[in-house]
């Protein structure tokens, strides 16, 4: 899978102290897949080490043929995921 990091993502990585390696790990260890109905974007969630702790992190991305264009990434809690599913903002995506 070819990952393209957008300029927005690169800015966010610097602001949040997230390495590009973490972005790669999110995709390698992908555990949960969602569709963001508000942003019309794919979302993948994985547990990775971030700031010294094992945390769930999401990566929002667009899939264009064989290219995966990563738009943003940040930590997310189970409660936030549940709320997004209940509200209808997210739905489960089968991969």
């Amino acid at each position: 899978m070819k990952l393209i990091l957008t300029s927005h993502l690169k800015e966010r990585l610097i602001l949040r102290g997230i390495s590009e390696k973490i972005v790669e790990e999110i995709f390698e260890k992908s555990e949960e897949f969602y569709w963001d109905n508000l942003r019309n974007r794919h979302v993948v969630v994985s547990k990775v080490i971030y700031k010294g702790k094992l945390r769930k992190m999401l990566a929002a991305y667009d899939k264009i043929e064989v290219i995966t264009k990563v738009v943003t990434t940040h930590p997310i809690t189970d409660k936030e995921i549940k709320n997004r599913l209940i509200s209808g903002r997210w739905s489960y995506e089968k991969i």
Side-chain angles (χ1 to χ4, degrees):
M1 173 187 318
K2 174 129 175 95
L3 294 180
I4 302 294
L5 309 182
T6 63
S7 57
H8 172 79
L9 173 66
K10 290 177 182 177
E11 290 173 17
R12 293 293 174 229
L13 293 178
I14 293 166
L15 287 172
R16 296 177 178 140
I18 300 171
S19 71
E20 289 183 16
K21 175 93 172 111
I22 288 179
V23 176
E24 292 170 8
E25 282 183 56
I26 293 169
F27 283 90
E28 289 169 6
K29 299 177 179 179
S30 53
E31 299 171 352
E32 303 170 33
F33 301 91
Y34 305 98
W35 175 254
D36 185 331
N37 295 300
L38 178 64
R39 306 272 186 234
N40 290 319
R41 194 160 271 147
H42 302 275
V43 177
V44 62
V45 177
S46 300
K47 290 180 185 172
V48 296
I49 301 291
Y50 170 60
K51 295 194 174 182
K53 295 182 183 176
L54 186 63
R55 302 172 190 237
K56 279 194 172 182
M57 299 277 292
L58 76 73
Y61 65 99
D62 295 320
K63 186 82 172 154
I64 306 160
E65 296 180 17
V66 296
I67 296 172
T68 300
K69 189 173 174 184
V70 188
V71 179
T72 196
T73 188
H74 57 79
I76 190 161
T77 64
D78 287 329
K79 184 176 180 177
E80 290 171 317
I81 293 169
K82 183 179 177 182
N83 288 342
R84 290 177 188 187
L85 287 166
I86 290 170
S87 72
R89 175 170 173 183
W90 284 8
S91 54
Y92 290 101
E93 183 174 37
K94 291 188 179 191
I95 298 295

